[in-house]
Structures are given as structure tokens and as C-alpha cells.
Amino acid sequence: MPVFLRIVAAVVAVMFASQAFAVGFQYLSIPDDAGRPIEIGIWYPSKSTMASTTIGMVAQSVALNGDIDGSGLPTVIFSHGSAGWFGDRSDMALAFAQQGIVAVSLTYPGDNYRDSNDRVLRQMTSRPVVTSQVLDYVLETWSDREHLDKSEVGFYGFSAGGFTGLIELGGVPNWTLFSQHCAADPTEPVCKEGAATFLSSPKAAAMPTSIWHHDPRIKAAVLASPGFSFTFDPTSLEAIKTPVELWGGSNDEFVPYASNVSYLKDHMPNVLRTHEVENAKHYAFLRPCSAASKAKTPDYCTDLPEFDRVAFQQSFNREVLQFFQAELRRKAR
């Protein structure tokens, strides 16, 4: 999109920001290719009456199975990090639906908080396939599909979800780059994990590019702390023309900013904005934790003393929403 039109779209998005819809929510499940359930949460604009509802571990005010409102609606699919679940970005999904964007989030079989039994290679290769399978379902089978504009699809991914997004956009990992990088900087966190031995092996380097699934339906993407970014072949990154916004934390202890976000910025031609969030650790990109979550999973919930996750998440949700409103361009009508 030309810069002038992008600015106009962003201004229009701000003008309409106060015209919020009620939010409907549906919980669905479809099988993956191995018959395992794929949990799907769908947030969408609605005129139905909302009520307090608990979705997994998250309480929200939504119209459960309410009627969808609008036509020509854009869709954004959410890809969680390793061992996450479909509710990881429920606050952002709710904000999207309030502004006329259908937010679809899934839980990856074999790579979620209840079940992380898949080996790292299967997780990496199956995630893009499962993402596209969910898009197939929502765009072609879902009961409210006629309200969607199939040409307006966005993608949001965090950590392993960011890796998934890079694959879907057309990126191809080159595991020779993994072994080279880890030899030069063995302190990189992923170079010390159990999977590093395999990813540094000749067998990994010889993997055919045909195993990676791409999805040209995605027209815009936001990638937050995208993992393994330095392994992507620069040629494949340079071929990605999809508009992308990148986010990373200056204090990310798992996905260092310089070797991942900066690397992508240097090689992807259509990175519209790059954000290095000061004092942000890796899990700062997850929603703020409840008291119960802090007690149960302190590692996910602990930030640096000078970082305010609640304030950051409010601005983060707002800026990501504005990006998709500008790039997908269509409003509910």
C-alpha cells in the first residue's frame, strides 16, 4: 500500500475507534490430520447481549454464540508460542472484534500447555499446516463465513508463533545458518536447548524445502519476538512482499532482539515498523497475569521492576489493531 494511503487508512481507523461493537464468541474444535483436536476460539463483532464468561483461565464479557454483525469482515489468525493456548491473546482478540475484525485463535496439538509431546521438528513443520487448516475451516466451512472477506486475512504470531508466521509468509529455514550462528555465539538461548544437537546436524541441513507450508492468503502480519529468525535463508526473506510489523523486547532472554528482530528487519523488504520495547522480557508480550496466574506460573508473569506490563499491553493492543486496520483496509459495514 502506498505511504499516503496507509496514512489515510490509519487516520480512518482512529476516527472509528470509538464505534465499538459488542463481541460475540464461539468455541469450536476440529481434528488435525492425525485426528487430534484443534481448539479454536473466534471473537467477532455482534449485537447480541454480552455476559461475563470464563474461557479456560480467562474471564471476559462476550456474547457466547451470539449473532455475528457486519459483512466483508477481515480476519486475523493468532498463533501462540510454544506450550501456549488459544486464549493467550484473548485481550487483543476482544479489542479486534470490538472494531469489526474477526479474531481466530487456535491451540496447536502437541505443542500447548497441556501437551508438548511433539518433537521440535514436528512442531515446526506441523504448525503452519495446522494454521492453514484452521483458516480453511473458518473461510470455507464455518457457519458465519459469508460475513467474511476472504481476501482480507492477517496473521499475529508470538515466539514460536512468529516462526510459524515466517514460514506461512514464504520463509524457508536453512539449518546450516543455525549451526554457523551457534558456533559463533553459543550463548544464544536456543543454541543451548536439547533440540540444538539435531538442528546443528547434517541431517537437519539436508532437509528438503518442500516440507515447509506457505499460505498466500495472508496479506499482513505482526510478529512478536519471532523465534529462530536467524535461521531463515535471506533469499526467501527477501522474496516476502507481505507488509509486516516486528516487535521485540530489549531484554528478551529467549529470543534476543539483535539476532532475530534486527535480522528480519535487515532482510525483509516490506517491514513497515519495528519496535524494540525497552525493558521488556520475552513474556512481556503475553497478557497481564492474574494473581492466580502469578502464583502458578511466576516465570511467565515476572517482569523487570521498571517495566509496566499492563500499560504496555494497552498500547501494544492499540498499535497492532491500527496496523491491521490500515493494512487490511476494510471496515465492518
Side-chain angles (χ1 to χ4, degrees), residues 153-198:
V153 177
F155 177 96
Y156 171 88
F158 164 67
S159 195
F163 175 90
T164 303
L166 288 168
I167 298 293
E168 288 281 68
L169 295 177
V172 177
N174 177 348
W175 298 115
T176 301
L177 297 177
F178 182 90
S179 57
Q180 291 174 353
H181 179 82
C182 290
D185 183 10
T187 64
E188 180 94 11
V190 294
C191 298
K192 298 182 289 185
E193 294 178 352
T197 300
F198 170 75

Side-chain angles (χ1 to χ4, degrees), residues 144-156:
D144 289 317
R145 63 191 180 278
E146 70 273 10
H147 295 268
L148 307 178
D149 185 337
K150 297 179 183 179
S151 69
E152 300 289 347
V153 177
F155 177 96
Y156 171 88

Side-chain angles (χ1 to χ4, degrees), residues 6 12-13 33 38 50 58 62 74 85 90 95 118 146 154 161 166 171 207 216 258 262 267 291-292 319 321 323 330:
R6 190 174 294 122
V12 170
D33 292 341
I38 307 171
M50 299 192 299
V58 180
V62 293
W85 71 301
S90 56
D118 279 358
E146 70 273 10
L166 288 168
M207 286 165 50
S262 289
H267 293 291
E319 291 195 43
L321 170 63
F323 170 82
R330 298 182 185 273

Side-chain angles (χ1 to χ4, degrees), residues 34-280:
R36 299 178 299 180
I38 307 171
E39 289 183 310
I40 305 171
I42 307 178
W43 291 257
Y44 51 88
S46 177
K47 288 183 178 178
S48 299
T49 301
M50 299 192 299
S52 180
T53 303
T54 299
I55 303 162
M57 297 169 283
V58 180
Q60 287 189 311
S61 182
V62 293
L64 189 61
N65 298 318
D67 294 332
I68 192 168
D69 185 22
S71 62
L73 302 174
T75 302
V76 174
I77 190 163
F78 288 73
S79 181
H80 64 71
S82 184
W85 71 301
F86 80 86
D88 274 350
R89 285 261 43 125
S90 56
D91 53 344
M92 184 180 284
L94 187 73
F96 281 22
Q98 288 173 336
Q99 296 301 319
I101 296 176
V102 175
V104 179
S105 189
L106 66 145
T107 300
Y108 290 98
D111 185 15
N112 58 72
Y113 77 101
R114 291 176 304 210
D115 172 18
S116 292
N117 291 325
D118 279 358
R119 294 185 176 182
V120 65
L121 181 60
R122 176 172 170 79
Q123 291 176 4
M124 289 177 166
T125 56
S126 69
R127 273 172 157 267
V129 174
V130 172
T131 303
S132 291
Q133 185 179 354
V134 172
L135 273 179
D136 291 342
Y137 174 81
V138 171
L139 298 178
E140 306 296 339
T141 304
W142 184 43
S143 59
D144 289 317
R145 63 191 180 278
E146 70 273 10
H147 295 268
L148 307 178
D149 185 337
K150 297 179 183 179
S151 69
E152 300 289 347
V153 177
F155 177 96
Y156 171 88
F158 164 67
S159 195
F163 175 90
T164 303
L166 288 168
I167 298 293
E168 288 281 68
L169 295 177
V172 177
N174 177 348
W175 298 115
T176 301
L177 297 177
F178 182 90
S179 57
Q180 291 174 353
H181 179 82
C182 290
D185 183 10
T187 64
E188 180 94 11
V190 294
C191 298
K192 298 182 289 185
E193 294 178 352
T197 300
F198 170 75
L199 296 178
S200 299
S201 69
K203 183 177 180 181
M207 286 165 50
T209 59
S210 59
I211 68 172
W212 301 108
H213 173 84
H214 312 306
D215 198 325
R217 293 175 295 186
I218 296 172
K219 298 300 190 293
V222 172
L223 309 178
S225 290
F228 294 99
S229 295
F230 62 86
T231 67
F232 280 84
D233 188 280
T235 302
S236 69
L237 294 177
E238 289 162 4
I240 295 174
K241 307 303 182 185
T242 307
V244 173
E245 181 168 285
L246 300 173
W247 291 76
S250 66
N251 291 70
D252 195 318
E253 69 276 38
F254 297 113
V255 183
Y257 187 91
S259 57
N260 291 278
V261 178
S262 289
Y263 177 82
L264 295 179
K265 180 183 178 182
D266 290 342
H267 293 291
M268 296 177 72
N270 205 10
V271 174
L272 303 186
R273 285 182 292 275
T274 305
H275 304 264
E276 182 175 7
V277 183
E278 187 175 359
N279 297 318

